[in-house]
């Protein structure tokens, strides 16, 4: 068989040179050079982005493995990636408590239970320096709640607070009622301004069995103390009422200082001066919510006390309700002023006194713990805040 010499001399691989030249001419005619170059650059950018994403994924997997506590069988990276890539599957729960889906929580040896509101009445022993307000603040209560719960000890008078007294402290703001024979829930609730259900349903009263209705409340024994949440009542007044000039004997219940017959006298101007040389407090401020509709002014034992306006003395003597030596002046124009805890009284019943007249001396008689002047102002039978009328 004959062999063509030209064929034997050709290379066995690759296209003939003529074909390569023809292909280059074809590409040149298509003018694809710039397009191919741009495509190449885009392809390189795409490859770089994919490589960067793959690298971050490897770093994330490594971080996941480092922060996950080791269980008896450590999951493989492939299983970890499969779990992370499937949002519809629940995260694996490891055997160690507190490690769920890679979030590690330190185990606690005990459980903190939220504190429960107090429901029972407790007692508190008064300490030196305590006041009605500081005790109330200590237990998160209103000051009047402390007074209402301890009427038998304090007599609705904040001045009666003394060290070593044992007070009842309610769990909530309200009043404390001692059940008496003949009491009815409807009447008690109405007196304190609450509903019957408010009294029955309060757990500290222990009036309802679990699941029982209000109408099925058990019998309440006389002497039982009931907490009245949100209840209010009128204070028992220990101060002087309005004492008219034509009938001063209405003050007989206050003590021996009540007057009998009073002649007519000076009428005040309605413009007042200060009753003492000092103009700052030595005790309670004007706080009617705790039955103190007066101001306690500072002073030394024996300091002068002056009439704040002209008028007639309608009470001069001892007050049995804790105010000690007391003077009351009726000013004849609807105004009345009261001066208490005096160490001396320098006027007498029925005496006419001009504004600025010396009527007594500061002291600590009655329930006062230190020298002070308990000063009240009343207009047409209603006590008012002295700070609004003194200059």
């Amino acid at each position: 068989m004959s062999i063509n010499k030209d064929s034997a001399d050709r290379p066995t691989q690759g296209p003939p040179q003529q074909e390569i030249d023809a292909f280059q001419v074809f590409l040149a005619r298509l003018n694809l050079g710039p397009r191919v170059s741009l495509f190449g650059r885009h392809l390189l950018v795409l490859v770089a982005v994919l490589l960067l994403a793959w690298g971050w994924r490897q770093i994330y997997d490594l971080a996941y493995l480092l922060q996950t506590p080791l269980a008896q069988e450590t999951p493989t990276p492939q299983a970890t990636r499969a779990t992370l890539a499937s949002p519809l599957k629940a995260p694996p729960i490891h055997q160690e408590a507190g490690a769920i889906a890679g979030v590690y929580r330190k185990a606690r040896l005990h459980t903190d239970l939220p504190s429960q509101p107090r429901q029972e009445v407790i007692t508190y022993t008064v300490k030196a320096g305590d006041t009605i307000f500081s005790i109330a603040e200590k237990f998160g209560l209103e000051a009047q709640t402390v007074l209402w719960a301890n009427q038998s000890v304090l007599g609705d008078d904040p001045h009666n607070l003394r060290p070593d007294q044992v007070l009842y402290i309610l769990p909530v703001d309200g009043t404390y009622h001692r059940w008496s024979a003949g009491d009815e829930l409807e009447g008690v609730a109405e007196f304190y301004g609450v509903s019957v259900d408010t009294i029955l349903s309060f757990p500290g009263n222990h009036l309802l069995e679990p699941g029982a209705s209000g109408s099925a409340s058990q019998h309440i024994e006389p002497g039982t103390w009931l907490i009245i949440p949100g209840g209010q009542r009128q204070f028992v007044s220990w101060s002087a009422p309005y004492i008219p000039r034509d009938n001063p004997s209405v003050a007989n219940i206050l003590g021996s200082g009540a007057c009998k017959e009073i002649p007519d006298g000076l009428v005040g101007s309605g413009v007042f001066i200060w009753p003492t040389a000092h103009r700052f407090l030595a005790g309670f401020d004007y706080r009617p919510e705790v039955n103190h509709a007066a101001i306690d002014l500072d002073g030394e034992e024996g300091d002068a006390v002056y009439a704040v306006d002209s008028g007639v003395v309608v009470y001069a003597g001892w007050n049995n309700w804790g105010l000690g030596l007391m003077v009351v002046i009726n000013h004849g124009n609807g105004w009345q002023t009261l001066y208490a805890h005096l160490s001396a009284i320098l006027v007498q019943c029925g005496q006419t006194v001009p504004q600025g007249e010396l009527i007594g001396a500061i002291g600590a008689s009655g329930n006062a713990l230190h020298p002070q002047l308990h000063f009240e102002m009343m207009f047409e039978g209603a006590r008012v805040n002295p700070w609004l009328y003194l200059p």
Side-chain angles (χ1 to χ4, degrees), residues 109-132:
L109 300 180
H110 67 278
T111 301
D112 292 329
L113 296 177
S115 59
Q116 298 296 322
R118 181 166 58 90
Q119 297 176 348
E120 305 296 333
V121 176
I122 61 176
T123 60
Y124 174 75
T125 301
V126 180
K127 300 178 177 58
D130 280 343
T131 67
I132 292 295

Side-chain angles (χ1 to χ4, degrees), residues 229-251:
Q232 299 182 8
R233 65 168 174 81
Q234 294 293 323
F235 286 112
V236 176
S237 178
W238 42 264
S239 187
Y242 179 74
I243 305 174
R245 293 184 179 188
D246 57 356
N247 186 24
S249 61
V250 298

Side-chain angles (χ1 to χ4, degrees), residues 118 120-127 135 138-139 141 146 149-150 153 164-171 176:
R118 181 166 58 90
E120 305 296 333
V121 176
I122 61 176
T123 60
Y124 174 75
T125 301
V126 180
K127 300 178 177 58
I135 295 172
K138 186 189 300 289
F139 295 99
L141 299 172
V146 178
N150 297 279
V153 177
D164 298 325
Q165 289 174 331
V166 178
L167 303 181
Y168 293 118
I169 305 298
L170 301 187
Y176 207 23

Side-chain angles (χ1 to χ4, degrees), residues 17-364:
Q17 184 62 40
Q18 294 84 353
E19 294 178 3
I20 293 174
D21 294 341
F23 182 72
Q24 292 177 345
V25 171
F26 175 75
L27 290 177
R29 289 178 178 177
L30 292 177
N31 195 24
L32 292 178
R35 299 178 183 178
V36 172
S37 175
L38 180 61
F39 174 80
R41 287 197 298 271
H42 288 176
L43 182 62
L44 289 176
V45 171
L46 179 60
V47 171
V49 170
L50 293 176
L51 288 175
L52 181 61
W54 178 82
W56 277 112
R57 185 58 175 271
Q58 299 304 311
I59 294 173
Y60 178 84
D61 288 348
L62 179 60
Y64 172 83
L65 292 175
L66 290 176
Q67 73 175 3
T68 304
L70 294 177
Q72 290 184 355
E73 294 184 2
T74 304
T76 63
Q78 292 81 3
T80 301
R81 286 193 293 271
T83 300
L84 294 175
S86 178
L88 298 179
K89 295 182 180 180
I93 300 177
H94 301 282
Q95 292 183 357
E96 182 175 348
I100 298 178
V103 178
Y104 179 73
R105 177 175 60 83
K106 291 183 178 180
R108 295 179 64 87
L109 300 180
H110 67 278
T111 301
D112 292 329
L113 296 177
S115 59
Q116 298 296 322
R118 181 166 58 90
Q119 297 176 348
E120 305 296 333
V121 176
I122 61 176
T123 60
Y124 174 75
T125 301
V126 180
K127 300 178 177 58
D130 280 343
T131 67
I132 292 295
F133 301 101
S134 65
I135 295 172
E137 183 178 2
K138 186 189 300 289
F139 295 99
L141 299 172
E142 297 291 341
Q144 55 265 40
T145 295
V146 178
L147 277 179
W148 283 329
N150 297 279
Q151 203 279 334
S152 61
V153 177
L154 301 177
D156 283 356
D157 184 355
H159 289 108
N160 288 334
L161 191 71
R162 295 290 185 272
D164 298 325
Q165 289 174 331
V166 178
L167 303 181
Y168 293 118
I169 305 298
L170 301 187
V172 295
D173 281 315
T175 56
Y176 207 23
H177 177 78
R178 188 177 187 274
W179 192 265
S180 300
D183 279 350
E184 296 289 341
L185 278 173
E186 290 77 9
V188 171
E190 182 180 0
F191 179 80
Y192 293 110
V194 300
S195 67
V196 171
D197 185 65
T198 297
I199 301 174
L200 287 174
S201 62
F202 188 74
N205 287 330
H206 308 289
L207 295 180
L208 290 179
E209 297 295 335
S213 63
S215 60
S217 62
Q218 63 187 27
H219 176 69
I220 304 174
E221 295 291 338
T224 301
W225 284 93
L226 298 180
I227 301 166
I228 315 296
Q232 299 182 8
R233 65 168 174 81
Q234 294 293 323
F235 286 112
V236 176
S237 178
W238 42 264
S239 187
Y242 179 74
I243 305 174
R245 293 184 179 188
D246 57 356
N247 186 24
S249 61
V250 298
N252 285 336
I253 61 172
L254 300 180
S256 59
C259 301
K260 296 181 179 179
E261 296 180 3
I262 294 180
D264 200 9
L266 291 175
V267 175
S269 65
V271 178
F272 306 98
I273 64 172
W274 272 86
T276 61
H278 299 294
R279 301 189 179 190
F280 47 89
L281 292 174
F284 285 106
D285 200 351
Y286 179 81
R287 299 294 294 269
E289 70 273 18
V290 291
N291 206 24
H292 193 264
I295 57 177
D296 295 335
L297 297 175
D298 189 33
E300 300 293 333
E301 183 88 16
D303 282 354
V305 175
Y306 308 100
V308 297
D309 200 1
S310 300
V312 175
V313 176
V314 291
Y315 190 99
W318 188 260
N319 175 284
N320 294 332
W321 297 74
L323 292 179
L325 292 175
M326 181 179 78
V327 171
V328 178
I329 299 176
N330 183 302
H331 299 281
N333 54 3
W335 285 98
Q336 174 177 293
T337 53
L338 179 150
Y339 315 75
H341 298 316
L342 301 174
S343 61
I345 294 176
L346 304 179
V347 292
Q348 59 186 353
C349 276
Q351 181 176 338
T352 295
V353 292
Q355 186 180 61
E357 178 81 357
L358 182 64
I359 61 174
I362 287 179

